[in-house]
Amino acid sequence: MQLTVVMPGSAEHLPLVRGECEQWTAPGTELQVVALGDGVGSVASRYEIALAGPAILAEVVKAAASGSDGVFIDCAGDPVVHAAREVVDIPVVGGFQPALLTALGLGHRVGVISVLPGVVPIFHELIRHDALSERCGSVRVINTPVLSVHDQATLVDHLYAQASQAVAAGEADVIVLGCTGFIGVASALQDLLAADGRYVPVVDPTGAALTWLESAVRMKVRPSRTTYTPPPEMTWLS
């Protein structure tokens, strides 16, 4: 099995992202990790999603043409995922939808924790798109820019502050990390929440996306062509 990871940002982060992805994939899964380049440092707003969209789609098409079995767009905002599904015949996911669907099987109420206030309406739009607002109404942020999230200990502290408040307020039975840049912190956050007295699962978006892709490839399924119709060739009569 060959999977492609399309990563916003520069190539300097490729080793870190590759190492994270390799921890989630099964033996025998080959990973190709590609970066969009320095022109797209993050995808944390609608504006950045629009700017990055053409480059992401180009890499998805290239991956499918080169024989990749599935593509993970490495962002929890699921940028251009639905558009990509229209133009390739392989499974394509971002980080959020697989994480959300995984969380729904682990508890009734799902809480999301992401980065900045500006992404909150984006996540609510994604949740509404899947008609899941009744079970996922809580979207909190640590209010730290994506590009400065490097200190894992401090990151876990910020995440724990929001997650523990969400659980205590009855907003969440499961936590979804709403940023693929929250690398390697899910287990530590889960342990801290369990130490409060009750186990609350924490779903990592990278892990959810890659394991979902592997399952889809093994089951030989891909997005429906009644939902994701290829773009038509339009002819206008003069």
Side-chain angles (χ1 to χ4, degrees):
M1 184 188 307
Q2 179 178 315
L3 303 180
T4 298
V5 179
V6 178
M7 183 195 79
S10 66
E12 67 178 297
H13 301 299
L14 281 175
L16 177 64
V17 173
R18 175 179 288 279
E20 168 72 358
C21 292
E22 287 176 344
Q23 292 186 39
W24 292 109
T25 50
T29 296
E30 297 180 11
L31 283 176
Q32 167 120 21
V33 185
V34 297
L36 296 186
D38 295 328
V40 185
S42 69
V43 187
S45 67
R46 295 181 185 88
Y47 176 75
E48 290 175 319
I49 289 173
L51 284 180
I56 293 173
L57 290 171
E59 291 295 344
V60 172
V61 171
K62 188 186 302 182
S66 68
S68 184
D69 296 301
V71 176
F72 167 41
I73 299 172
D74 184 21
C75 175
D78 289 0
V80 300
V81 165
H82 296 288
R85 290 172 178 171
E86 293 182 346
V87 295
V88 295
D89 289 327
I90 57 176
V92 180
V93 293
F96 186 64
Q97 190 179 55
L100 179 59
L101 296 179
T102 299
L104 290 169
L106 300 173
H108 183 69
R109 295 160 299 186
V110 178
V112 180
I113 305 178
S114 191
V115 188
L116 295 169
V119 306
V120 173
I122 295 175
F123 280 109
H124 280 303
E125 288 168 6
L126 292 172
I127 292 163
R128 284 196 300 272
H129 180 274
D130 287 335
L132 293 170
S133 296
E134 289 188 4
R135 292 186 60 188
C136 185
S138 173
V139 181
R140 291 170 170 258
V141 295
I142 62 172
N143 205 19
T144 301
V146 170
L147 298 181
S148 67
V149 177
H150 297 301
D151 182 345
Q152 279 201 337
T154 301
L155 175 57
V156 170
D157 288 343
H158 286 314
L159 290 169
Y160 173 71
Q162 295 301 323
S164 59
Q165 290 175 33
V167 173
E171 298 173 3
D173 306 304
V174 186
I175 299 295
V176 166
L177 297 182
C179 178
T180 56
F182 293 163
I183 293 176
V185 298
S187 292
L189 177 58
Q190 189 170 270
D191 290 344
L192 284 176
L193 292 172
D196 289 340
R198 288 186 293 179
Y199 171 76
V200 175
V202 177
V203 180
D204 182 284
T206 298
L210 289 169
T211 52
W212 186 93
L213 273 180
E214 288 182 320
S215 295
V217 173
R218 284 197 299 271
M219 291 189 294
K220 299 181 180 180
V221 294
R222 57 186 173 87
S224 168
R225 278 288 171 242
T226 60
T227 298
Y228 299 103
T229 304
E233 293 184 14
M234 299 293 291
T235 301
W236 296 97
L237 299 177
S238 59

